[in-house]
Amino acid sequence: MTHAATEQTGNSSKTGTSSPPGASEPRRCSRDSGGFVLPWFALMIIVLIGMAGFGVDVWNWWYTGQKAQRQADAGALAGVPFMPSNFNSGSPSATSIAIAEAVKN
């Protein structure tokens, strides 16, 4: 191929690419989006830390509820031996034993 034919087709022997005559170098984007990764990464880190904190809070709510339920169960079970025949008469009563056991836990 001659030099004149190369100029007519727009082929450049330097880059090996073909482009139409009069076209400039292709641009990366019509708008520059450089520097977008850092703000996006910072935003995602904030979201992930927030989600992790919320997960810890939910676990703490669940753990506290389980602890309170275990205390109530222990207090109820401590008073069971006194329930069939001795509800609240005499000493010690089922209510006082259950309250004392719940306070210990």
Side-chain angles (χ1 to χ4, degrees):
M1 191 181 260
T2 65
H3 182 64
T6 304
E7 287 181 25
Q8 287 178 349
T9 60
N11 290 338
S12 173
S13 61
K14 294 179 184 175
T15 60
T17 61
S18 63
S19 60
S24 62
E25 281 291 317
R27 299 181 107 194
R28 192 172 91 195
C29 291
S30 60
R31 291 181 295 166
D32 187 23
S33 63
F36 181 70
V37 173
L38 185 63
W40 184 255
F41 183 73
L43 181 67
M44 288 299 112
I45 287 293
I46 290 171
V47 168
L48 288 174
I49 289 173
M51 290 173 69
F54 185 69
V56 168
D57 284 343
V58 168
W59 175 82
N60 191 24
W61 296 331
W62 173 80
Y63 179 73
T64 304
Q66 289 293 317
K67 192 174 172 183
Q69 184 64 45
R70 278 190 237 119
Q71 290 173 348
D73 291 344
L77 288 174
V80 167
F82 300 99
M83 290 297 284
S85 61
N86 186 8
F87 287 107
N88 281 326
S89 61
S91 179
S93 68
T95 306
S96 63
I97 294 292
I99 290 172
E101 193 65 30
V103 168
K104 280 197 284 185
N105 287 328

